[in-house]
Amino acid sequence: MMGSTGSKLRAFTAAIAATLVAANAAWAASPAQGGSAVFDNLIFVVIGGVLMALLASVAGGVVIAVLANSVSRFFRRNLPTDEEMAELRAELREVDQRRPRQIRIEITPSAEPFVFSAIGFVACFIIFSLALSAVPQPVRGEAMPHGEEAKPAESAALPKEGDFGKITDGLPKGDPENGAKLFNTAGCVGCHSQKKGERLVGPSFYNLWNIAETRVPGMSAREYLYQSIVDPNAYIVEGYQAGLMQQNYAAILSPQQMADILAWIEARHKDEP
Ligand code: HEC
């Protein structure tokens, strides 16, 4: 057992705190967050976290505290008595004197709350992750149609000629900050410079939004950029070869990520002098 009411209270508080952190972490890492735009929905993280923590700490916290007590009692049964411990300590002290550099770690009753909260954290994290992944997640700002899942079918659509307007209009609201991250993580940075006139494997993104507007008559900047990413060979920039740009972005980028990249290009590379 935990010895005193004080340490019981500590263990319980630690369990609640761990539950709160676990709920938040699980929520933040859930598919709804795409694993990346964690802080985009800070309000949701806070409100959701607090609500979940309230619910979970009442239910989960009590369960965990009770379980932890039983576990503790079980292991305590097999622990040495106080006298045996005193002997062991004396022996250890002797060993320590002979080997002064050796580091000894003891798990004392006061460490229990931390052990329990670690167990609680892992348990809650798993439970919340499972619960969250079972629920169809709404994408920011718009509800996901019932039954539709975030599978390859959800990756950026590869449209037929003329469909781009419909597709780009249907994209979710883009987040330029995440777009900036994707520029690095999706590999664009390896082939595209952002400096004026700097040619890497592909053309520079300098003033790209304005350039995109003029590339293909009848295509808006959004439409052209979307096409250039999901179907690079549809239009080859003069002076470059077909087939050089990575060809599988339609399969690996989600509509949200496409929207983020487009939003970033518009925010960062429009009307550059
Ligand atoms: C392996 C190199 C490579 C990678 C990686 C790459 N590109 Fe490209 N990209 C090219 C080349 C080469 C061209 C020019 C030929 C063409 O038009 O397909 C190009 C053209 C483009 C264009 C048209 C530019 C213009 O001036 O009209 C856009 C937009 C573009 N890429 C966006 C991206 C984005 C966004 C990413 C990352 C998600 C990316 N590219 C990743 C090589 C690459």
Side-chain angles (χ1 to χ4, degrees):
M1 277 293 290
M2 236 134 295
S4 72
T5 320
S7 58
K8 255 185 217 165
L9 198 68
R10 239 186 304 155
F12 189 69
T13 317
I16 290 178
T19 310
L20 197 146
V21 176
N24 273 302
W27 189 89
S30 75
Q33 300 314 301
S36 54
V38 171
F39 294 105
D40 287 359
N41 288 318
L42 201 62
I43 293 171
F44 278 107
V45 174
V46 174
I47 296 176
V50 169
L51 281 180
M52 271 194 279
L54 273 177
L55 277 175
S57 56
V58 173
V62 169
V63 170
I64 287 163
V66 169
L67 279 180
N69 270 358
S70 331
V71 171
S72 155
R73 214 175 299 151
F74 175 79
F75 283 113
R76 278 305 169 94
R77 238 183 11 197
N78 301 324
L79 282 183
T81 63
D82 283 351
E83 293 93 81
E84 283 170 328
M85 274 311 280
E87 272 174 46
L88 278 172
R89 287 217 178 85
E91 272 175 45
L92 275 170
R93 226 170 289 132
E94 269 175 48
V95 173
D96 273 359
Q97 273 156 15
R98 261 176 275 148
R99 282 188 280 175
R101 291 245 181 90
Q102 200 173 35
I103 295 166
R104 193 157 43 88
I105 297 168
E106 241 183 286
I107 295 190
T108 61
S110 63
E112 274 178 357
F114 300 103
V115 176
F116 296 148
S117 33
I119 296 169
F121 180 88
V122 172
C124 290
F125 187 87
I126 293 170
I127 292 166
F128 279 114
S129 306
L130 289 178
L132 281 166
S133 58
V135 179
Q137 299 290 339
V139 177
R140 194 185 325 142
E142 62 175 65
M144 188 185 282
H146 204 67
E148 213 174 285
E149 280 166 51
K151 284 200 288 251
E154 242 268 294
S155 57
L158 190 57
K160 290 170 211 80
E161 202 93 354
D163 277 359
F164 285 101
K166 240 196 285 168
I167 288 175
T168 51
D169 286 348
L171 287 178
K173 189 172 152 39
D175 168 13
E177 257 170 60
N178 195 46
K181 278 185 214 144
L182 285 165
F183 176 73
N184 293 308
T185 55
C188 325
V189 65
C191 297
H192 293 284
S193 166
Q194 297 187 69
K195 289 199 203 109
K196 192 174 188 171
E198 186 175 33
R199 180 184 173 131
L200 301 178
V201 180
S204 165
F205 276 7
Y206 190 85
N207 211 25
L208 179 58
W209 189 270
N210 303 55
I211 292 168
E213 249 158 13
T214 65
R215 284 279 191 231
V216 179
M219 265 185 142
S220 70
R222 266 171 90 73
E223 289 163 13
Y224 170 77
L225 290 170
Y226 188 97
Q227 182 188 52
S228 301
I229 298 167
V230 298
D231 188 9
N233 291 343
Y235 176 94
I236 308 298
V237 179
E238 205 188 309
Y240 294 86
Q241 269 172 274
L244 274 183
M245 173 149 155
Q246 194 171 319
Q247 305 285 309
N248 64 345
Y249 284 122
I252 62 174
L253 293 174
S254 69
Q256 180 65 60
Q257 290 172 319
M258 285 298 296
D260 294 347
I261 292 175
L262 296 184
W264 170 70
I265 295 174
E266 182 171 17
R268 180 73 187 74
H269 295 296
K270 187 179 177 179
D271 298 333
E272 292 187 284

